[in-house]
Amino acid sequence: LQQDKNKEATARKTLGEALEREFRLNMITYNRMLVLLGEEPRENFDKYYYELKGEIDFVFDKGGNNIQQNANNEQGNTQQPAS
């Protein structure tokens, strides 16, 4: 059972990283990435990376599965996306 969970986690991590690359290369929208990961799409996020990059700063976790709005954006500070 533990081996199955490890395989699932590894597969999700690999998929998340691949989808993050596609998103950053403007091949898929953020919401499409979420759907392919089995997550619910977010309102106003049916956009490509280049469209969202100018609106908010992106911070991905190491798996590339989560995205958060950087609070510094409201103050006019910008931060490069994690690679």
Side-chain angles (χ1 to χ4, degrees):
L1 184 62
Q2 185 64 33
Q3 285 181 334
D4 290 342
K5 286 186 177 186
N6 285 341
K7 285 181 183 179
E8 266 184 49
T10 300
R12 180 168 169 93
K13 180 179 186 282
T14 301
L15 178 60
E17 290 171 348
L19 292 173
E20 179 186 350
R21 279 192 300 274
E22 289 185 16
F23 171 64
R24 287 179 182 268
L25 291 172
N26 299 300
M27 296 171 67
I28 59 174
T29 64
Y30 182 72
N31 275 342
R32 180 68 179 145
M33 180 176 68
L34 289 179
V35 168
L36 291 172
L37 286 169
E39 303 292 334
E40 291 291 319
R42 295 175 62 180
E43 188 175 335
N44 300 321
F45 276 78
D46 197 28
K47 297 179 180 180
Y48 291 93
Y49 179 74
Y50 78 92
E51 295 172 301
L52 291 169
K53 186 177 175 188
E55 294 179 23
I56 60 173
D57 296 328
F58 290 102
V59 180
F60 283 90
D61 69 9
K62 292 187 187 292
N65 300 323
N66 296 319
I67 192 167
Q68 302 170 355
Q69 184 171 353
N70 184 335
N72 287 335
N73 189 44
E74 294 175 10
Q75 298 170 357
N77 298 332
T78 59
Q79 182 180 17
Q80 290 292 344
S83 40

